[in-house]
Amino acid sequence: MSAKSAINKELFTPHDEKMLAGVQVKRRTKKKIPFLATGGQGDYMTFICLSVTNKKPSHVSLTKVKQFQGSSAFVKRSQWTIDQLRQINGIDSNKDCPEFDLMFDNGLDQWVASSAGEKCTFIQILHHTCQRYCSARKPEFINCQSKLLGGNSILHSAAGSVTSAVQKASQALNERGERLGRAEERTADMMNSAEQFAVTAQKVSQTRRLLMLEKILGARSLLRCENGKFVIFKIKISLLY
């Protein structure tokens, strides 16, 4: 199970929430805190998670989650509502980069994601979520690539890929049906040909047997000499078949 799946299962599902997106991050400028909240020093991983409640009306939140070294558990550290989010800074609108900033009512967090792709996916889903759930004031997205905010987004590309896959599958099924139909027609023709061949072979076999009997029994000589007796004899032969 991936870290994001584990976070969703441990922290959000029990509270009737679902995680929409998550990005692993590190601070670009480290805070000077000598001791962690647990009371000791150590390394940890940080995730910024976007979640929404399953019950209506929907409530969207951004949550900072940490996993400390030596522990398999995930812990919520800070949480903001989507209405507290004021600005998302993508840092560079001309190229993919892992850095981004989140500005809230009470402060600014400067992050660097584990990869540029993960950051772009997170911002794109965050933008889509804000457009859907923020009814009043929407946060500002600055220095973000247009592909993350417009029609050529990852979500639209994914939807297009699914549609294309469905169309290809449908076309493949139609082509398979046509091939099966042609195969059935060929099978029917072969069966008809086989039946005709069997009937013809049976007639040829019967004719050969009759000729052999006529030759053995001298039926032809009876035809020349005693036509009446031959007719009676031939009728008796046909009754044997």
Side-chain angles (χ1 to χ4, degrees):
M1 182 183 298
S2 67
K4 295 175 187 177
S5 297
I7 291 172
N8 184 50
K9 182 179 179 180
E10 292 181 22
L11 302 183
F12 295 105
T13 300
H15 298 282
D16 201 21
E17 297 178 84
K18 61 181 176 182
M19 193 171 78
L20 302 176
V23 56
Q24 184 178 346
V25 296
K26 289 184 179 181
R27 290 190 180 276
R28 294 208 306 276
T29 55
K30 291 186 176 295
K31 290 184 177 181
K32 296 180 179 180
I33 302 177
F35 295 97
L36 299 176
T38 54
Q41 293 179 333
D43 294 329
Y44 56 87
M45 291 192 299
T46 303
F47 298 85
I48 302 297
C49 303
L50 177 67
S51 63
V52 62
T53 58
N54 292 318
K55 292 182 179 181
K56 305 295 182 181
S58 301
H59 296 283
V60 180
S61 301
L62 282 166
T63 306
K64 182 165 63 178
V65 176
K66 291 188 177 182
Q67 183 185 37
F68 294 96
Q69 186 178 28
S71 174
S72 60
F74 296 92
V75 181
K76 289 183 179 180
R77 306 300 293 177
S78 304
Q79 191 171 56
W80 306 267
T81 66
I82 199 71
D83 294 328
Q84 293 176 297
L85 182 62
R86 292 289 170 259
Q87 187 184 86
I88 298 91
N89 187 346
I91 306 301
D92 194 331
S93 61
N94 297 317
K95 64 179 182 180
D96 292 341
C97 66
E99 295 84 11
F100 68 99
D101 296 343
L102 298 177
M103 181 183 292
F104 298 95
D105 288 337
N106 57 353
L108 172 69
D109 285 333
Q110 297 179 314
W111 302 107
V112 54
S114 60
S115 69
E118 190 175 10
K119 166 238 178 169
C120 290
T121 301
F122 178 78
I123 288 183
Q124 193 264 308
I125 296 175
L126 178 59
H127 178 265
H128 175 78
T129 303
C130 291
Q131 297 303 310
R132 179 178 179 182
Y133 292 102
C134 293
S135 57
R137 183 180 59 179
K138 293 180 173 61
E140 181 184 17
F141 285 78
I142 64 172
N143 299 321
C144 295
Q145 293 173 284
S146 59
K147 69 178 182 180
L148 305 180
L149 311 179
N152 296 325
S153 63
I154 298 172
L155 290 178
H156 286 83
S157 299
S161 299
V162 171
T163 301
S164 177
V166 171
Q167 292 175 346
K168 289 181 180 180
S170 177
Q171 182 179 356
L173 287 174
N174 291 334
E175 292 176 353
R176 182 181 180 186
E178 292 176 358
R179 290 196 297 270
L180 289 174
R182 290 194 296 268
E184 290 176 353
E185 291 177 358
R186 290 196 297 269
T187 302
D189 292 340
M190 292 175 64
M191 290 179 64
N192 292 333
S193 299
E195 291 177 357
Q196 293 177 1
F197 178 80
V199 171
T200 302
Q202 185 178 10
K203 290 181 179 179
V204 171
S205 177
Q206 290 178 348
T207 302
R208 287 181 177 177
R209 289 181 182 179
L210 182 59
L211 292 174
M212 290 177 64
L213 287 172
E214 288 178 347
K215 183 176 181 181
I216 294 171
L217 300 175
R220 291 181 181 176
S221 62
L222 291 175
L223 178 63
R224 290 194 299 269
C225 301
E226 301 178 9
N227 189 46
K229 291 182 179 180
F230 171 74
V231 172
I232 296 173
F233 184 71
K234 192 169 184 178
I235 290 172
K236 290 180 179 180
I237 292 174
S238 64
L239 292 175
L240 295 176
Y241 292 86

